Every structure is written in C-alpha cells, then in structure tokens.
Amino acid sequence: MASKDDHVGIEMVMGGDNNSSVSSKSNKDLKKHMVVFGEKVRRFPGLVWHTVWKVGRDDPRRVIHALKVGLSLTLVSLLYLMAPVFKGVGENAIWAVMTVVVVLEFTAGATLCKGLNRGLGTVLAGSLAFLFEYIANECGQVFRAVFIGAAVFVVGAAATYLRFFPYIKKNYDYGVVIFLLTFNLITVSSYRVENVLKIAHERFYTIAIGCGICLFMSLLIFPTWSGEDLHNSTVAKFEGLAKSIEACVNEYFNDQLMEVEVSLEKELEDPIYKGYKTVLDSKSTDEILALYASWEPRHSRHCYRFPWQQYVKLGAVLRQFGYTVVALHGCLQAEIQTPKSVRILFKDPCIRLAKEITIVVMELANSIKNRRHCSPEILSDHLHEALQDLNTAIKSQPRLFLGSNSNQSTNMLALAAAHARQKQEKDQGVSLTSVKTDSSAMLEWKTRRASEQSKENERKVLRPQLSKIAITSLEFSEALPFAAFASLLVDIVARLDNVIEEVEELGRIACFKEFNPGDEIIDVTCSKQQQDVTQNHLPSHGAD
C-alpha cells in the first residue's frame, strides 16, 4: 500500500506540472499581446498622417481656417508680448485671446453672428451696469448691497426668460449669455472694487480688438461664405438623390439581388444609402447655414437680400421626396421578392422611367448650380411616354396581379376559418371540464399544462415558417413586391411637381437668369468639397 507521503509527493508533482503549463500559456499570451501592441505602435504614425492628409484633402478650406486661427492668436498675443501695448491694456489683454478663440468660426456668417452678439451684449451689459452703479452710489452701504442683489436677480431672471423666445433664441442667444456674464461681473465686482469703470473700459477695448481681428480674418482673408455652402449643399443633395434613384432601379433588376441580411458597415458603404443620407440629415444644417448666411454682407449681385430661407423650404420638400427614395431602397431588402422571371418582364420600362426621373432631377441641380430658371420642358414627353410604357407592361400581365385561380385563395381562407372554429371549440371544451377529486384534478391540470406549453413552444417556432408558406402559396403574391416597387417609382414622378415648384419659386425670389435654349444639361458632378460641406462648418455651441 502506498503511504500518505507518497500521495502527497504525487500531488505536488501533478500540481507543479499544471502550474508550469498555465505559466507557459500565459507567457505565450503575453508575447502575442506584445507583438500586437508593437504592430499598432509601428502603424500609428502612418495612420495619423493618413488621417491628417485625408481631412485636408477633402476640403482645403480647413487648412486655411486653421492657419487663420493661428495667425489671429499670434496677433492678439502681441498685446502681451509688446511692452508698450501691455502697459496700455494691462492684464485684460487675455480677454482678446479669449474672444479670438470663441468668436472666430469656419464661415464668415458664423463669425459675424457671434462677434456682433458678443459686442452688442457687452455694450448693453456695461451700460446697464453703470446705470445701476450710479443709482446705488447715491444710497447707503446697506441699501447699496440690497439694490445690487435685487438688480442681479431681476436682470438675470428677465434675460434668461428672454432666451426662451423663439426669435431671440435663434438669433441672439449667444449675445444674451454674454450680456448676463458681463453684467454680473461688473455689477457684483463694483461693490468691492473702487475703480471698476477703468477695468470695464480696458476689457471692452480688448474685446473690441479681438472681434476686429476675427472680422478682418473672416471677411478679407480667404473668406468662406455660409450662403455659398448652403447653395452648394443643395446642389449636392439633388445630385445624390438622382444617383440613388438610378442605382436603386438598376440594382433591383440585376441578376443577383442584394441579400436581405445586410450589415451596418455594408449599409454605410452602399452608394444608394450615401446618396439620400445627406438629404435626410440636412434639416439642422440647412437652418444653421441659412441663419449665418443672413448675417453676411454679400447677398447678391443686385444688392437684394438673398432668400436663404427659401433654401430651407426647398430642403424640407427634398426630404419628403427622399423618403420615397428610402422606401424604394427598402424594396431591395424585402423578405419576399418577386422572382427574376417576373421582374424581367418590367425591366426596360422601369429603367427607362428611372433614367427620365434622373434627367429631371439633374436638370434641377444644374439650374440651381448655374443660378438660372429651369427649362420650360423639364417634364418632357419622354417622361410621360416612360410612364405609359410601364402602365402598358403592367396591364399586359393581369394574371400576375389579379391571380388566375380564385379557388386556391378561397380554399386558403376556408382552411383558416375552419382552424379558427376548431380552436374556439377546444377552448370551450377546456373551460367546461367536469369536477373531480383534488388529487386527480391537480394531476390532470399539470399534464394538460405541460402539453399546452410544449404545443405553444412548437407554435412559436413554426409560426413564422407557416406564415411564409401561407403567403407564398397565394399565386398573386409573387407580383406584390414588384407592385410596391412600381408604385413607389410612380409616386416619385408625382412628387417631382412639388420639387419643381419650389425650385421655380427660389429662382423667382432670387432673380435667377432666364433659361436659354443653349443651356443643356452637362454632366453635373458633385465635387468632394460639396459633399463634405455639411461636415466642416458647423460652429461650436459653447457659451464662453
């Protein structure tokens, strides 16, 4: 017999083997992680350079804006660096630096909006604070403290309530915030500081210097106009919708229709999705651009106020138009698809109709881009002929849409009604069970409960399959997906009238030039700058 010490020795040896295997495995994992980390470190500089290069290549105006901000900060820093200037403004020169950081935006309209709001808020707050200071100085020390506290409360509450007014919130919200900040700084500090008037003057001068540098850089050094960005983004939205419609119809009639299961990454890379995504996400961008464009001095060549809000209305109509394109794209990913043998019957008229729709949308984009009215024959006879061809093709196949065997559908409905009656009778039979003894009734209830749960689980598994079988067994269901696709395509044609009406209204208000017979549709390509215009000009919403 083995002794107790022998068993202990064997366990120690086995434990040592296990520890050594675990240690070797952990060392391998550590080496693997070190190799992966070293590879990431080695690739990091190249990744950073690629990102920096791509951001500047997509829109060179970003590089120019960064250089302008750097130059502006350098200029306001001279208030500190140059001794004669520093003696004049003192430590309040930091307010000029803060003003440049906060006010200087990507577009001239955004800079004007924030700069003028900041200047107006500072002037009004300073004037009101000095008025209250003059009244408070005529009273005693105690009454002065009470008066300052009451003034801070009343002005703060009133100014905050004004921020809820839609017009104030839209145009002067930043100015009200600066008004509150400046008023409280001057009013409260005046109770302990004697020479507050001098401090306020110095701060006003430095803020004015900062705003002046920002306006100079935005308006005179390679200016970027919000109105021009809004104009270009509208053109890009038309072009994106045209490409989406054409690509969607071509994809629908391809030999290999896209799979139903589409990952998020593939969906984001889909050119059809990219075409209408900008339109769906454009509401807030259009409103901000229109607001900033209304502050810009350059409205039109004829010195009229350019109708930037009409671009916002046009964007709303385009979004309604884009929703139909989204639904058309959804037909490509439907659970039940029309067979290829049926789709091929309607391929030519649908592709022709999509081509005519694309021509109309591109003509609208071309008219806005060149600031001219649309062609009087924009809805040409070719579009109506394409609609007639599609209508004729659908009427030529009545069996696909109406069904040739009505008995089959009648039998399906009768079968469903019989199944419903059987279920009702079964439920009634269960509810009218006879009264038995407690033990037998409990045992029977448990058995029936278990069988019902098993049947319910089976029904949950089979219900989707039975639903698909029941749907596909109906003969006319083969053409239903295509009927939805064709209906959406015709609805796009109907919605073109609303879009054309808004474009013509824009041309009338903006005094677009008249259409000449020589103005033909040229290949209007959407530049990369137009595609990225909605991503690089949005301002920061801080209230510094």
Side-chain angles (χ1 to χ4, degrees), residues 71-348:
L71 180 58
S72 301
L73 290 174
T74 303
L75 292 176
V76 295
S77 298
L78 295 178
L79 299 177
Y80 261 110
L81 301 178
M82 298 178 64
V85 181
F86 180 76
K87 292 180 180 179
V89 296
E91 296 182 355
N92 290 299
I94 193 63
W95 287 88
V97 179
M98 293 174 58
T99 301
V100 170
V101 173
V102 173
V103 171
L104 188 55
E105 294 287 348
F106 185 76
T107 62
T111 303
L112 277 168
C113 180
K114 297 192 74 172
L116 296 180
N117 268 273
R118 191 176 182 88
L120 184 62
T122 302
V123 172
L124 291 178
S127 303
L128 188 62
F130 286 127
L131 176 62
F132 286 172
E133 176 67 17
Y134 176 78
I135 298 174
N137 285 334
E138 302 298 327
C139 306
Q141 190 72 8
V142 177
F143 182 81
R144 182 184 179 191
V146 175
F147 181 80
I148 290 176
V152 169
F153 172 78
V154 172
V155 174
T160 303
Y161 189 75
L162 279 176
R163 295 182 65 189
F164 293 106
F165 289 20
Y167 182 78
I168 299 295
K169 187 175 184 61
K170 180 180 178 181
N171 295 278
Y172 303 105
D173 186 70
Y174 181 72
V176 175
V177 173
I178 295 300
F179 170 83
L180 274 176
L181 176 64
T182 306
F183 177 81
N184 283 275
L185 285 176
I186 297 176
T187 303
V188 176
S189 61
S190 64
Y191 187 76
R192 297 294 182 183
V193 180
E194 295 182 358
N195 197 9
V196 68
L197 182 61
K198 180 181 178 182
I199 297 175
H201 282 171
E202 291 176 351
R203 289 184 179 180
F204 176 77
Y205 294 150
T206 53
I207 291 175
I209 292 173
C211 288
I213 292 175
C214 291
L215 296 179
F216 173 79
M217 287 293 176
S218 295
L219 299 177
L220 301 179
I221 307 297
F222 298 104
T224 301
W225 305 102
S226 299
E228 197 69 23
D229 281 355
L230 179 59
H231 180 86
N232 293 334
S233 66
T234 304
V235 175
K237 286 186 287 188
F238 274 95
E239 294 169 350
L241 287 174
K243 294 176 182 178
S244 293
I245 295 171
E246 188 174 14
C248 190
V249 175
N250 292 333
E251 184 73 24
Y252 187 78
F253 292 99
N254 274 350
D255 294 337
Q256 296 180 352
L257 196 62
M258 66 174 58
E259 297 292 335
V260 176
E261 297 294 336
V262 181
S263 63
L264 180 60
E265 290 78 7
K266 292 183 179 180
E267 183 180 358
L268 295 177
E269 296 176 358
D270 189 359
I272 303 175
Y273 175 76
K274 287 183 177 180
Y276 62 74
K277 178 180 180 297
T278 306
V279 179
L280 302 182
D281 300 339
S282 64
K283 183 177 185 298
S284 60
T285 303
D286 289 350
E287 291 177 351
I288 292 174
L289 283 175
L291 171 64
Y292 291 154
S294 63
W295 287 82
E296 293 176 351
R298 191 183 70 173
H299 296 297
S300 69
R301 294 177 300 174
H302 305 288
C303 298
Y304 297 136
R305 186 175 179 83
F306 207 76
W308 301 118
Q309 290 301 324
Q310 186 64 28
Y311 280 89
V312 179
K313 293 179 61 177
L314 178 58
V317 175
L318 274 182
R319 280 190 296 276
Q320 296 295 329
F321 185 81
Y323 296 149
T324 310
V325 181
V326 175
L328 193 71
H329 188 203
C331 292
L332 275 66
Q333 303 175 6
E335 288 284 345
I336 299 175
Q337 293 288 348
T338 300
K340 177 186 174 183
S341 58
V342 178
R343 293 200 310 268
I344 200 68
L345 299 174
F346 309 98
K347 178 179 180 180
D348 291 339

Side-chain angles (χ1 to χ4, degrees), residues 231-491:
H231 180 86
N232 293 334
S233 66
T234 304
V235 175
K237 286 186 287 188
F238 274 95
E239 294 169 350
L241 287 174
K243 294 176 182 178
S244 293
I245 295 171
E246 188 174 14
C248 190
V249 175
N250 292 333
E251 184 73 24
Y252 187 78
F253 292 99
N254 274 350
D255 294 337
Q256 296 180 352
L257 196 62
M258 66 174 58
E259 297 292 335
V260 176
E261 297 294 336
V262 181
S263 63
L264 180 60
E265 290 78 7
K266 292 183 179 180
E267 183 180 358
L268 295 177
E269 296 176 358
D270 189 359
I272 303 175
Y273 175 76
K274 287 183 177 180
Y276 62 74
K277 178 180 180 297
T278 306
V279 179
L280 302 182
D281 300 339
S282 64
K283 183 177 185 298
S284 60
T285 303
D286 289 350
E287 291 177 351
I288 292 174
L289 283 175
L291 171 64
Y292 291 154
S294 63
W295 287 82
E296 293 176 351
R298 191 183 70 173
H299 296 297
S300 69
R301 294 177 300 174
H302 305 288
C303 298
Y304 297 136
R305 186 175 179 83
F306 207 76
W308 301 118
Q309 290 301 324
Q310 186 64 28
Y311 280 89
V312 179
K313 293 179 61 177
L314 178 58
V317 175
L318 274 182
R319 280 190 296 276
Q320 296 295 329
F321 185 81
Y323 296 149
T324 310
V325 181
V326 175
L328 193 71
H329 188 203
C331 292
L332 275 66
Q333 303 175 6
E335 288 284 345
I336 299 175
Q337 293 288 348
T338 300
K340 177 186 174 183
S341 58
V342 178
R343 293 200 310 268
I344 200 68
L345 299 174
F346 309 98
K347 178 179 180 180
D348 291 339
C350 285
I351 290 181
R352 181 185 177 189
L353 181 60
K355 183 179 179 181
E356 295 298 329
I357 294 173
T358 303
I359 291 176
V360 173
V361 177
M362 292 297 283
E363 164 62 18
L364 293 174
N366 193 38
S367 65
I368 296 176
K369 182 178 181 179
N370 297 323
R371 290 181 171 86
R372 63 163 174 80
H373 287 281
C374 302
S375 171
E377 300 179 356
I378 185 171
L379 295 177
S380 62
D381 295 336
H382 300 290
L383 180 62
H384 295 288
E385 291 174 0
L387 279 173
Q388 291 296 331
D389 291 345
L390 179 59
N391 186 39
T392 303
I394 292 175
K395 286 183 177 180
S396 65
Q397 302 292 335
R399 184 181 63 84
L400 294 174
F401 299 93
L402 301 178
S404 61
N405 189 1
S406 59
N407 294 329
Q408 185 177 7
S409 60
T410 304
N411 293 335
M412 291 293 297
L413 295 175
L415 181 61
H419 179 71
R421 286 196 301 270
Q422 291 177 2
K423 183 178 180 182
Q424 184 178 5
E425 292 175 358
K426 181 179 179 181
D427 294 339
Q428 292 177 354
V430 171
S431 63
L432 297 176
T433 55
S434 59
V435 179
K436 299 182 179 180
T437 60
D438 293 342
S439 59
S440 60
M442 181 63 69
L443 180 61
E444 184 178 351
W445 179 83
K446 289 182 178 180
T447 305
R448 187 170 63 250
R449 183 65 176 173
S451 62
E452 289 177 357
Q453 288 181 353
S454 61
K455 291 180 180 179
E456 182 66 24
N457 294 333
E458 185 178 355
R459 282 198 298 269
K460 288 181 179 179
V461 175
L462 295 179
R463 187 177 294 120
Q465 300 177 3
L466 292 175
S467 299
K468 288 186 179 181
I469 293 173
I471 292 174
T472 54
S473 64
L474 299 176
E475 183 178 355
F476 65 85
S477 67
E478 291 184 348
L480 283 180
F482 172 76
F485 183 85
S487 175
L488 290 170
L489 200 59
V490 174
D491 189 55

